[in-house]
Amino acid sequence: MIWEQVLEKFKEVFGGEGDIRIYFAPGRVNLIGEHTDYNGGHVFPCALTIGTYAVARKRDDKKLRFYSMNFEKAGVLESSVEGLKAEETAGWTNYPKGMIWAFGEKGMKAEQGFDLVLYGNIPNGSGLSSSASVEVVTGFLLKDLFDFEVSNKEIALIGQFAENRFNGVNCGIMDQFAIAMGKEGNAIFLDTADLSYEYAPIVLKGAKIVISCSNKKRGLSDSKYNERRSECETALSELQEVIGIETLGDLTEEQFKQYQSAIKDEVRRKRAKHAVCENQRTIRAVDALKKNDLKQFGALMNESHISLRDDYEVTGTELDTLVEEAWKINGVIGSRMTGAGFGGCTVSIVEDGAVDTFIREVGAAYEKKIGYAADFYVVEIGDGPARLA
Ligand code: GLA
């Protein structure tokens, strides 16, 4: 069991006495609906069985002591529950700190500190939401250690608030929601306009979900993420001059065609086109899945990638290579970049019999073209956060 090793590490670093508790929160992969969650559109992510393990023990004073098994060289990092602010040198600890701060802002102030050891088996910076996973596991353990009354949905919203206001990334709600609300075997069809959602069973008879990790690192804040978001906001306000909508997600493709000339800049028009079409594609994809039409679902995943490549321009050579090589393999049902883009991962649905060929051939072509290797993971859809012991 992984958590037993994390517990051992906790005892080694912080001692084994007292009320030590163990938690887990998953990572996530988005199957379709990319860059729609801050545009009032739909997303279709699922939680994974890989994620973040946390072992924690409440303290009597205000001290915070953090240790990550993923960054062992950094050793124990200390701070206090008072006066928390994000610091560039604080690295990963900005995520748990952001949650403690955000809980305080929402009227749930932790009056004491705690000792924390984390271990994540989500590849770092891969676009599988390792940071949102740390946020949600921290929210979950804060609730449990301090007896706060807070639902998983609220933990997701507080996670987004922490990311936006503490860490300065203007992300949408998808990652924290997918993680906090995850359900084994199901993806979540979420309407980000009002947070209504529905679980959809993912029954891939004879196929698997394969993640290809480009190993090109990406930091959300240094990426063009915030820029894309503001381009969409400007496009929306231009459209609002001619049609009464609240978000780009309110538009059908036909309406977009009719009103797009209100957007005065060609680049912004492309960004808005992606947001509108990707939202409609996501609705259609879930519909196809409900009808067991996996072929159509895969075709829509492929269209999603093309739109992210050509109109939203968030892919890059690494992700395009992974996807374009995947499309060449017999038995690939669909393949696209997933997450924010600019590096990170792709998600593919691959027939069982083609998985080995996929990993071998996409891997070889990628290394030849890019100069370093990609990593591949066959993943399972898991549950949301839990206390393990
Ligand atoms: C990141 C953000 C999400 C979402 C995706 C793109 O993962 O955190 O809110 O916008 O990018 O779909």
Side-chain angles (χ1 to χ4, degrees):
M1 296 280 236
I2 296 173
W3 67 260
E4 285 168 347
Q5 290 163 26
V6 190
L7 177 60
E8 273 319 298
K9 182 54 88 176
F10 184 95
K11 290 180 178 168
E12 186 190 314
V13 178
F14 294 128
E17 65 287 352
D19 181 8
I20 302 173
R21 302 183 184 184
I22 303 156
Y23 308 88
F24 173 79
R28 69 96 187 90
V29 66
N30 188 22
L31 298 176
I32 192 162
E34 217 66 79
H35 289 281
T36 48
D37 68 341
Y38 50 86
N39 284 311
H42 292 76
V43 292
F44 196 51
C46 49
L48 300 171
T49 52
I50 50 174
T52 312
Y53 293 82
V55 177
R57 180 182 56 205
K58 205 165 149 184
R59 298 177 56 88
D60 295 329
D61 57 15
K62 298 208 176 254
K63 230 185 235 180
L64 292 166
R65 295 196 297 175
F66 295 149
Y67 183 91
S68 166
M69 292 170 72
N70 298 81
F71 303 100
E72 299 217 284
K73 279 205 193 111
V76 175
L77 299 162
E78 281 198 21
S79 53
S80 159
V81 289
E82 302 298 337
L84 287 167
K85 54 182 190 307
E87 284 157 343
E88 221 166 285
T89 51
W92 68 270
T93 67
N94 283 325
Y95 297 109
K97 283 181 192 165
M99 282 309 270
I100 301 165
W101 171 84
F103 264 65
E105 292 292 299
K106 302 288 174 191
M108 294 176 282
K109 171 129 177 34
E111 295 296 348
Q112 293 128 279
F114 53 92
D115 296 329
L116 176 70
V117 171
L118 288 188
Y119 169 69
N121 57 356
I122 308 169
N124 230 328
S126 60
L128 301 180
S129 287
S130 52
S131 49
S133 177
V134 172
E135 286 159 0
V136 172
V137 85
T138 308
F140 200 77
L141 71 85
L142 281 170
K143 166 191 163 141
D144 190 59
L145 290 180
F146 295 91
D147 290 319
F148 294 136
E149 294 259 341
V150 57
S151 67
N152 281 14
K153 190 168 165 181
E154 284 159 349
I155 291 177
L157 286 162
I158 298 172
Q160 183 196 16
F161 179 74
E163 187 84 47
N164 293 171
R165 301 281 293 277
F166 194 85
N167 283 305
V169 180
N170 243 338
C171 69
I173 187 62
M174 171 170 73
D175 303 347
Q176 291 82 3
F177 198 97
I179 289 168
M181 303 297 286
K183 185 172 169 187
E184 190 181 347
N186 285 263
I188 309 174
F189 184 42
L190 170 68
D191 183 348
T192 62
D194 59 7
L195 294 192
S196 59
Y197 65 96
E198 170 190 336
Y199 289 108
I202 302 293
V203 189
L204 303 174
K205 279 196 202 94
K208 299 250 181 314
I209 301 174
V210 184
I211 307 282
S212 312
C213 189
S214 70
N215 287 326
K216 180 186 181 192
K217 295 278 183 269
R218 152 200 78 79
L220 266 190
S221 25
D222 13 301
S223 73
K224 301 254 179 199
Y225 185 89
N226 289 348
E227 183 185 300
R228 290 293 179 283
R229 186 166 179 157
S230 67
E231 285 165 344
C232 286
E233 278 161 7
T234 310
L236 173 65
S237 56
E238 288 167 310
L239 285 164
Q240 283 169 332
E241 306 268 312
V242 293
I243 179 171
I245 51 168
E246 273 173 35
T247 67
L248 293 177
D250 290 339
L251 287 177
T252 62
E253 283 137 323
E254 291 68 35
Q255 285 171 320
F256 181 74
K257 275 192 198 127
Q258 193 180 338
Y259 294 107
Q260 60 174 335
S261 59
I263 305 171
K264 295 180 190 72
D265 172 81
E266 164 75 23
V267 171
R268 276 202 300 277
R269 210 173 302 132
K270 288 206 294 187
R271 306 296 191 242
K273 177 179 165 217
H274 167 78
V276 171
C277 297
E278 179 76 356
N279 179 42
Q280 297 301 325
R281 236 184 326 266
T282 305
I283 297 169
R284 286 207 299 277
V286 176
D287 206 42
L289 202 68
K290 284 182 183 160
K291 294 182 183 132
N292 281 322
D293 190 349
L294 203 55
K295 200 166 160 232
Q296 175 64 5
F297 188 85
L300 290 162
M301 286 176 75
N302 298 347
E303 272 183 36
S304 164
H305 185 83
I306 293 169
S307 175
L308 288 155
R309 182 189 69 193
D310 299 345
D311 289 333
Y312 219 63
E313 298 179 280
V314 291
T315 57
T317 323
E318 293 81 4
L319 294 175
D320 288 337
T321 303
L322 285 174
V323 165
E324 283 156 23
E325 292 300 326
W327 288 341
K328 292 180 191 163
I329 311 280
N330 255 330
V332 170
I333 297 164
S335 185
R336 57 183 288 278
M337 62 148 267
T338 183
F342 312 105
C345 289
T346 69
V347 56
S348 310
I349 300 184
V350 185
E351 285 172 9
D352 288 342
V355 171
D356 290 344
T357 315
F358 176 97
I359 294 176
R360 195 177 55 245
E361 293 193 4
V362 176
Y366 183 81
E367 193 162 354
K368 188 163 173 227
K369 179 152 180 201
I370 305 298
Y372 53 85
D375 287 316
F376 297 90
Y377 307 86
V378 178
V379 295
E380 308 282 340
I381 303 180
D383 273 320
R387 181 168 162 189
L388 304 181

